[in-house]
């Protein structure tokens, strides 16, 4: 079943063609990140205006690079939420129009659930149920127990800022560019290289000992602000603070993920969303759950380019959760939760 996926929930405009939820025939993406770098973060209207400009060329590119036409597609999948309302509308209205004119089925996809399906792409060993699904993105941090496709229970999540948001906000305080995650990771790697084995314990680890699976990242932003306020930071200072921030966020995530694996004993562990691109996080996950580890769930992390927003896993998610809706019933929901 060939599905055309569309993703426009934040600042990417993406279209992909995916066969049977697994094989990527094409994967086109345009980003407006350069504009957001200039403004130090996303201004929603700027993102949506760019998406209006990029949407049709990106769809054309996805079709032409796979040598397919709309008539070859079985169904259209589109992210209907959560995300920025203007951005979501660009993708959803385009998909509705395409589905109506071509009389193809239209499948709305929850963006957060979609992230998890990046680990079903291009692999002979997809996750097994029950799986623990962890979505760590710019707007969300959620842990769910996945019992089957479409059957999720919420286990925990952030009480305030998302993990990616913590990277983005602290990066800004350190004078690093948007998006903050990759910038912090780069600066941190410089510090770690020069200071092997250095203790990184400057910033607090809220809720680390709590028995639930919740997170709180907003205190980190305040702690960084207090630390740097009024100081003229050298490049070395920035690198050190970046390493401290990365260590705090990654340790918090790892601790709760490990606790949840002990509690729920899943067959597979899925880590997805923009923050799963973080190399320190990936390295530590491999060390705890890699293939040599016995009696641990199998670890599934998307390849780097599928950690951040992309239409290929929106199409994959629609294949495994195939619930088409009449176009006039599909609506955007900026506040959709992972189990909604
Ligand atoms: O999933 P995503 O592309 O968009 C949302 O759905 O929000 O995630 C974007 C987030 C941003 O906060 C960005 O700073 C973070 O993912 N991110 C990273 C890395 N690459 C992207 N965080 C840490 N390390 C990275 N290498
Ligand atoms: Zn995302």
């Amino acid at each position: 079943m060939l599905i055309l996926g569309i993703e426009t929930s934040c600042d990417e405009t993406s279209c992909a063609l995916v066969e049977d939820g697994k094989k990527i025939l094409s994967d086109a993406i345009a980003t407006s990140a350069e504009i957001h770098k200039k403004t130090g973060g996303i201004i929603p209207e700027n993102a949506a205006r760019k998406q209006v400009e990029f949407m049709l060329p990106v769809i054309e590119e996805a079709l032409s690079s796979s040598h397919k036409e709309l008539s070859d597609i079985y169904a259209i999948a589109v992210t209907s939420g959560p995300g920025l309302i203007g951005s979501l509308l660009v993708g959803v209205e385009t998909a509705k129009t395409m589905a109506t004119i071509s009389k193809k089925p239209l499948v709305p996809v929850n963006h957060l659930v979609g992230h998890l399906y990046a680990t079903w792409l291009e692999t002979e060993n997809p996750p097994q149920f029950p799986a623990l699904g962890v979505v760590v993105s710019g707007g969300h941090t959620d842990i769910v127990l996945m019992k089957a496709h479409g059957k999720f229970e919420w286990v925990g999540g952030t009480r305030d800022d998302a993990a990616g948001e913590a990277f983005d906000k602290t990066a800004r305080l350190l004078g690093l560019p948007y998006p903050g995650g990759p910038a912090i990771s780069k600066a941190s790697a410089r510090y770690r290289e020069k200071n092997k084995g250095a203790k990184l314990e400057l910033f607090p680890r809220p809720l680390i000992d709590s028995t639930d699976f919740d997170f709180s990242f907003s205190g980190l932003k305040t702690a960084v602000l207090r630390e740097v306020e009024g100081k003229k930071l050298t490049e070395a200072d920035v690198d050190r603070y970046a390493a401290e921030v990365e260590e705090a966020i990654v340790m918090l995530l790892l601790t709760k993920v490990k606790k949840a694996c002990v509690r729920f004993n899943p067959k597979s562990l899925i880590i997805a969303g923009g923050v799963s691109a973080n190399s320190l996080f990936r390295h530590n996950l491999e060390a705890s759950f890699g293939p040599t580890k016995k009696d641990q769930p199998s670890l599934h992390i998307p390849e780097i380019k599928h950690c951040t927003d992309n239409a290929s896993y929106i199409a994959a998610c629609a294949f495994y959760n195939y619930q088409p809706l009449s176009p006039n019933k599909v609506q955007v929901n900026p506040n959709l939760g992972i189990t909604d």
Side-chain angles (χ1 to χ4, degrees):
M1 186 195 279
L2 184 59
I3 298 187
L4 180 147
I6 291 178
E7 154 63 42
T8 62
S9 65
C10 191
D11 58 341
E12 319 287 359
T13 311
S14 176
C15 178
L17 265 62
V18 177
E19 185 79 57
D20 294 338
K22 178 174 160 181
K23 191 171 184 309
I24 302 174
L25 270 56
S26 63
D27 179 356
I29 187 157
T31 179
S32 53
E34 278 308 310
I35 298 177
H36 311 311
K37 238 176 217 166
K38 284 184 201 139
T39 49
I42 297 180
I43 295 178
E45 186 173 335
N46 291 350
R49 278 171 188 263
K50 275 287 160 198
Q51 283 160 323
V52 169
E53 204 179 294
F54 291 152
M55 189 74 265
L56 295 181
V58 162
I59 293 171
E60 273 174 12
E61 189 190 327
L63 287 168
S64 65
S65 63
S66 57
H67 308 290
K68 297 284 181 193
E69 291 178 10
L70 194 51
S71 54
D72 300 318
I73 307 293
Y74 185 84
I76 296 165
V78 64
T79 299
S80 59
L84 305 170
I85 188 157
S87 295
L88 289 166
L89 279 168
V90 176
V92 167
E93 292 307 311
T94 306
K96 279 166 130 175
T97 308
M98 284 169 72
T100 305
I101 289 172
S102 64
K103 300 192 171 58
K104 308 264 178 203
L106 178 61
V107 186
V109 172
N110 180 318
H111 177 75
L112 303 172
V113 178
H115 266 299
L116 295 166
Y117 279 85
T119 55
W120 265 265
L121 291 167
E122 302 289 346
T123 177
E124 294 308 319
N125 298 303
Q128 303 288 306
F129 297 121
L132 193 79
V134 182
V135 179
V136 272
S137 73
H140 297 83
T141 302
D142 285 302
I143 305 182
V144 287
L145 186 62
M146 305 167 71
K147 295 187 167 165
H149 294 298
K151 219 171 152 226
F152 296 0
E153 268 168 32
W154 194 77
V155 164
T158 187
R159 295 186 187 172
D160 40 57
D161 289 352
E165 198 176 354
F167 273 112
D168 295 337
K169 287 180 174 170
T170 51
R172 204 176 163 149
L173 293 171
L174 296 175
L176 292 169
Y178 175 87
I184 293 236
S185 178
K186 213 166 142 196
S188 165
R190 271 196 302 264
Y191 179 83
R192 287 169 193 273
E193 183 58 34
K194 287 186 200 143
N195 300 275
K196 290 208 167 83
K199 277 208 161 52
L200 294 164
E201 298 173 336
L202 181 63
F203 296 129
R205 269 81 161 148
L207 302 183
I208 200 150
D209 294 320
S210 69
T211 51
D212 56 25
F213 306 100
D214 286 354
F215 302 93
S216 170
F217 291 109
S218 65
L220 191 58
K221 177 187 60 194
T222 318
V224 173
L225 178 64
R226 260 196 229 115
E227 184 66 33
V228 304
E229 223 169 11
K231 282 190 190 153
K232 191 158 177 6
L233 301 180
T234 63
E235 195 183 59
D237 292 334
V238 171
D239 291 355
R240 179 167 62 91
Y241 289 135
E244 292 280 5
V245 165
E246 189 183 44
E247 181 77 12
I249 296 173
V250 168
M251 281 314 130
L252 281 164
L253 291 172
L254 270 175
T255 305
K256 291 294 169 98
V257 167
K258 282 186 192 168
K259 262 188 200 170
C261 284
V262 171
R263 167 76 178 75
F264 296 101
N265 194 23
K267 284 193 184 143
S268 295
L269 169 63
I270 304 174
I271 311 284
V275 176
S276 64
N278 182 273
S279 50
L280 178 71
F281 190 30
R282 293 173 85 96
H283 176 84
N284 281 307
L285 284 163
E286 288 287 343
S288 298
F289 300 100
T292 59
K293 297 285 163 187
K294 296 256 174 324
D295 306 320
Q296 293 290 352
S298 60
L299 176 64
H300 304 260
I301 317 180
E303 61 171 310
I304 301 278
K305 70 171 178 175
H306 293 144
C307 290
T308 46
D309 293 346
N310 189 283
S312 56
Y313 49 76
I314 299 304
C317 183
F319 174 79
Y320 292 104
N321 301 272
Y322 189 74
Q323 285 178 344
L325 272 187
S326 155
N328 58 22
K329 293 228 168 80
V330 174
Q331 285 184 341
V332 301
N333 183 350
N335 302 316
L336 199 64
I338 192 162
T339 52
D340 291 344

